[in-house]
Amino acid sequence: GSEETDIVALKNYMDAQYYGEIGIGTPPQKFTVVFDTGSSNLWVPSAKCYFSVACYFHSKYKSGDSSTYKKNGKSASIQYGTGAISGFFSNDNVQVGHLVVKDQDFIEATKEPGVTFVAAKFDGILGLGFKEISVGDAVPVWYNMVKQGLIQDQVFSFWLNRNIEGEVGGEIVFGGVDPNHYKGKHTYVPVTQKGYWQFDMGDVLIGEKPTGYCAGSCAAIADSGTSLLAGPTTVITMINQAIGAAGVANQECKAVVQQYGQTIIDLLVSGAQPVKICSKIGLCAFDGTHGVSMGIENVADESNGKSSGILHGATCPACEMAVVWMQNQLMDNQTQDRILNYADQLCDRMPNPMGESSVDCKNISSMPPVSFTIGGKVFKLTPDEYILKVGEGSEAQCISGFTALDVPPPRGPLWILGDVFMGRYHTVFDYGKSRVGFAEAA
Amino acid sequence: ASDDGLVRIGLKKMKLDPNNRLAGQLDSKDREALRASMAKKYRFHNDL
């Protein structure tokens, strides 16, 4: 009933690149939907959507044409970027492949503001997340499939074909896994927070070297509705540096490295706990688990009226990043000069929040692999897998498949493993055993 | 549907091209909105 439970957000629709067909009603009305493991509602445009241009470019559900339609009428709102898609709940049969899921609640969208959805190739979203995050407490399609005994095992799996143009885009299998689409055995990890397909993962490696940031564990969500890989700025900046991705210079970061870099190194060398270093040097408060900003906008030395100019909200996270970077380099036995220089260079590669980072297409072959440790196993992505090409031939632009997203503890640090990862690794969502499995896609 | 009891749904892939790459054309304000949207999707907007 609260505002929070009545809103589910769709991320940037451009991140949702794979879609398939379902039918709603009797006879079935066809819709293309994104199968999104990061949300839990089914949503399609409504025939009662009159004033949104996007509705005129997509299939619309006409309840009057369906003999199995049941009225619900409860209003619903789906947050999206600069606006919200809104509508109301209805109930009807939903056809997925040859299965007919009966009495399925879904949202008929009557308003799709803005231009974003006008060009979308899909009509709606079919959420495959858990009921815990379902808007309006609607029972997700997957739950009804299980409840109505329509599938063999309580498992669905994704194969996303990232390779050849003109071929099948991918396949979602309900009720099990298709042995044609993976090699070897799956590595399974338990779901740690129901709602999302969230699990614990270990360190991220650039080349063969650990970054160290997630060595003590990070959370990760397997999300088929997001194409990119989103993770902590600290690590994304290291990746940006390693692959030569464009970034933005961060002055707080540079100031911290200049003024406190040597002190940070000295403290690390002397064996100080990395999480306490920034509070030790007065740039963060320490809450017992990690550094937190002290909320100081600007600190002026009253005796001379000069401002230090760097002690504000961004300084603590800048310091914490510098500690991770420097610790990483110390473990790699780099000299102190090189460590300071490396950290300074990273300050020039800070990613824009949720922005794209372009890279030089000519350098792809020389970029290092980036790997994720899941269930004790290393899952590698090569540069041609994590770099996205936009356009063809000499006109082609290349963008990094990594984007920054910072979630503080206790929910974070958090990674979103989207289609870039799920393309390389066949993914099993095992609802019955509450676990997620990854194996090399075939 | 097949003999093995599995239900297979073919997926189509949307090709990235300059025309459908709206994300790259967004200004910083829109990017902030997208970030906020993502935060809402994963219910950590109170954390950010």
Side-chain angles (χ1 to χ4, degrees):
Chain A
S2 71
E3 189 186 9
E4 185 176 317
T5 55
D6 280 340
I7 292 177
V8 66
L10 301 180
K11 70 274 131 210
N12 174 5
Y13 94 86
M14 283 305 307
D15 286 352
Q17 286 186 54
Y18 294 86
Y19 49 92
E21 194 173 81
I22 61 164
I24 303 182
T26 310
Q29 300 171 33
K30 300 290 182 190
F31 297 93
T32 51
V33 293
V34 170
F35 291 92
D36 179 14
T37 58
S39 66
S40 300
N41 288 82
L42 171 59
W43 163 88
V44 292
S46 171
K48 296 184 178 74
C49 177
Y50 303 113
F51 303 112
S52 300
V53 179
C55 290
Y56 290 91
F57 288 88
H58 291 100
S59 300
K60 295 186 284 291
Y61 172 74
K62 298 184 190 78
S63 56
D65 288 354
S66 173
S67 62
T68 42
Y69 163 74
K70 287 176 198 150
K71 190 177 175 179
N72 178 315
K74 186 183 162 190
S75 61
S77 176
I78 303 174
Q79 191 70 38
Y80 172 74
T82 51
I85 292 164
S86 54
F88 56 90
F89 278 100
S90 285
N91 181 291
D92 209 331
N93 293 355
V94 174
Q95 188 175 351
V96 182
H98 73 293
L99 302 179
V100 178
V101 182
K102 292 180 179 170
D103 286 325
Q104 178 63 50
D105 284 328
F106 63 98
I107 298 167
E108 281 191 55
T110 52
K111 282 183 191 167
E112 296 180 34
V115 295
T116 316
F117 278 88
V118 174
K121 291 192 178 182
F122 55 88
D123 305 310
I125 306 282
L126 191 153
L128 290 167
F130 291 86
K131 191 173 182 296
E132 282 81 350
I133 58 164
S134 174
V135 166
D137 283 332
V139 178
V141 173
W142 167 250
Y143 282 60
N144 278 330
M145 272 188 201
V146 172
K147 194 172 148 195
Q148 293 171 25
L150 302 177
I151 42 112
Q152 190 171 268
D153 296 320
Q154 293 185 22
V155 166
F156 58 88
S157 55
F158 272 86
W159 169 67
L160 303 179
N161 186 4
R162 299 197 69 82
N163 292 327
I164 305 164
E165 281 181 46
E167 281 198 3
V168 176
E171 192 176 82
I172 177 169
V173 177
F174 291 101
V177 295
D178 186 335
N180 295 319
H181 286 148
Y182 65 92
K183 292 180 241 171
K185 284 187 174 176
H186 287 84
T187 298
Y188 285 96
V189 281
V191 170
T192 50
Q193 185 176 329
K194 265 194 175 177
Y196 303 98
W197 289 95
Q198 184 170 322
F199 53 92
D200 288 336
M201 64 167 239
D203 209 2
V204 176
L205 290 79
I206 301 174
E208 306 301 322
K209 294 177 183 171
T211 56
Y213 190 71
C214 291
S217 182
C218 282
I221 293 173
D223 185 358
S224 61
T226 291
S227 77
L228 301 184
L229 290 157
T233 298
T234 305
V235 184
I236 301 298
T237 308
M238 295 166 90
I239 294 171
N240 278 358
Q241 165 74 3
I243 67 176
V248 289
N250 182 294
Q251 294 314 317
E252 282 88 6
C253 177
K254 288 180 93 70
V256 165
V257 172
Q258 263 175 16
Q259 293 182 35
Y260 297 96
Q262 188 59 53
T263 313
I264 292 170
I265 292 176
D266 293 342
L267 285 165
L268 283 168
V269 170
S270 69
Q273 270 193 57
V275 288
K276 290 184 179 172
I277 286 177
C278 294
S279 55
K280 252 186 185 163
I281 57 180
L283 297 182
C284 299
F286 184 67
D287 74 349
T289 55
H290 69 295
V292 289
S293 295
M294 293 183 290
I296 301 168
E297 278 301 316
N298 209 343
V299 173
D301 180 345
E302 287 181 6
S303 61
N304 61 16
K306 285 182 186 169
S307 166
S308 70
I310 68 159
L311 279 176
H312 54 75
T315 309
C316 174
C319 174
E320 295 217 302
M321 281 191 282
V323 169
V324 174
W325 298 337
M326 290 177 174
Q327 189 187 16
N328 168 274
Q329 293 294 291
L330 273 173
M331 289 174 81
D332 202 26
N333 293 322
Q334 297 291 342
T335 63
Q336 297 200 1
D337 277 353
R338 287 189 72 163
I339 293 171
L340 289 170
N341 190 36
Y342 174 73
D344 184 65
Q345 283 176 19
L346 287 182
C347 293
D348 290 326
R349 299 275 187 184
M350 300 284 283
N352 274 325
M354 294 307 297
E356 295 173 356
S357 299
S358 58
V359 296
D360 190 338
C361 294
K362 292 196 291 287
N363 295 339
I364 289 179
S365 59
S366 59
M367 293 175 192
V370 175
S371 309
F372 295 82
T373 313
I374 299 170
K377 193 167 177 277
V378 172
F379 290 82
K380 187 188 278 188
L381 293 176
T382 56
D384 55 309
E385 289 161 345
Y386 65 70
I387 300 292
L388 304 176
K389 263 196 178 175
V390 184
E392 298 290 337
S394 58
E395 300 288 305
Q397 296 168 31
C398 290
I399 55 170
S400 166
F402 293 96
T403 190
L405 185 70
D406 288 298
V407 183
R411 288 265 344 249
L414 178 75
W415 284 83
I416 310 293
L417 304 183
D419 296 343
V420 165
F421 189 84
M422 288 175 62
R424 168 74 189 267
Y425 295 103
H426 180 267
T427 310
V428 177
F429 296 86
D430 189 337
Y431 177 77
K433 291 180 179 161
S434 196
R435 60 182 186 167
V436 187
F438 300 99
E440 188 105 19
Chain B
S2 56
D3 295 341
D4 56 11
L6 304 177
V7 180
R8 294 174 166 85
I9 311 293
L11 299 176
K12 295 169 191 168
K13 183 181 177 184
M14 185 164 71
K15 195 166 170 287
L16 273 177
D17 67 49
N19 294 327
N20 67 20
R21 194 170 144 237
L22 294 182
Q25 297 158 16
L26 297 171
D27 62 23
S28 57
K29 194 177 159 192
D30 289 330
R31 283 185 177 157
E32 277 305 304
L34 286 170
R35 183 168 167 266
S37 173
M38 198 146 179
K40 278 182 180 166
K41 173 172 181 177
Y42 299 113
R43 310 270 167 119
F44 49 65
H45 49 290
N46 292 332
D47 297 325
L48 295 179

